[in-house]
């Protein structure tokens, strides 16, 4: 988000592109611009009179920053900006796996995975290798991490 007057959809597209390439700080910069400068007080995208693409794309970009599953594994926080804490609940990954996660200052504290059927999934945390996790159908599997 280079400061030029841009439409909401083009800013949202940048958020999503930066998320797919793992550039969390660039995602956050564009997201702040989209919400802070290109959004009306009623949260509609500011492209007179209104452009839903910026709203849908911005939301998609946030989800892409927090979880991705298009590369054959579930990537937790693949494009997280530095020094951010939070959590997400019940995101749906490919393979019909429900994912929740919590982190503090960029460090993953817990991940919960759920599937209706028995399966083994691959999970990747920031700065770690891909690991296989076995899920028992109908039972949540929580992974806890300490500092």
């Amino acid at each position: 988000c280079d400061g030029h007057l841009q439409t909401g959809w083009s800013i949202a597209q940048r958020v999503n592109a930066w998320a797919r390439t793992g550039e969390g700080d660039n995602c956050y910069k564009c997201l702040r611009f989209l919400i802070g400068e290109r959004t009306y007080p009623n949260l509609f995208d500011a492209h007179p009179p209104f452009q839903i693409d910026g709203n849908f794309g911005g939301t998609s970009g946030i989800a892409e920053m927090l979880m991705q599953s298009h590369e054959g594994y579930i990537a937790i926080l693949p494009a997280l900006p530095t020094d951010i804490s939070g959590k997400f609940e019940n995101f749906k990954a490919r393979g019909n796996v429900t994912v929740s996660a919590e982190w503090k200052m960029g460090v993953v504290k817990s991940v919960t995975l759920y599937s209706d059927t028995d399966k083994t999934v691959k999970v990747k945390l920031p700065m770690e290798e891909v690991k296989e996790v076995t899920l028992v159908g109908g039972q949540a599997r929580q992974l806890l991490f300490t500092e």
Side-chain angles (χ1 to χ4, degrees):
C1 299
D2 47 24
H4 297 287
L5 184 59
Q6 303 157 0
T7 61
W9 68 263
S10 69
I11 300 165
Q13 188 276 336
R14 286 187 178 117
V15 173
N16 281 275
W18 286 123
R20 280 290 173 110
T21 58
E23 298 289 337
D25 289 328
N26 287 327
C27 285
Y28 192 54
K29 178 182 174 186
C30 288
L31 192 59
R32 288 180 56 96
F33 182 70
L34 178 65
I35 294 170
E37 302 293 326
R38 301 298 301 154
T39 302
Y40 295 126
N42 66 0
L43 297 181
F44 282 1
D45 181 59
H47 184 80
F50 168 61
Q51 186 182 64
I52 196 71
D53 306 44
N55 293 93
F56 289 156
T59 303
S60 169
I62 292 169
E64 287 281 319
M65 292 166 72
L66 301 176
M67 186 197 80
Q68 297 177 20
S69 62
H70 63 278
E71 293 191 81
Y73 56 85
I74 300 168
I76 306 296
L77 309 178
L80 187 70
T82 54
D83 301 331
I84 299 280
S85 299
K87 68 179 181 177
F88 66 83
E89 296 180 355
N90 301 321
F91 278 28
K92 197 62 91 168
R94 292 177 193 226
N96 200 27
V97 177
T98 303
V99 182
S100 301
E102 186 170 353
W103 66 96
K104 184 173 183 179
M105 300 306 284
V107 177
V108 177
K109 296 298 179 187
S110 70
V111 175
T112 303
L113 305 166
Y114 175 86
S115 173
D116 288 331
T117 60
D118 293 354
K119 64 176 64 180
T120 299
V121 297
K122 295 178 181 177
V123 178
K124 183 177 186 323
L125 299 176
M127 309 304 288
E128 291 190 19
E129 298 294 320
V130 176
K131 296 178 183 176
E132 288 192 348
V133 177
T134 301
L135 303 177
V136 176
Q139 297 180 16
R141 171 91 188 261
Q142 187 173 36
L143 311 171
L144 298 173
F145 306 93
T146 57
E147 292 183 45

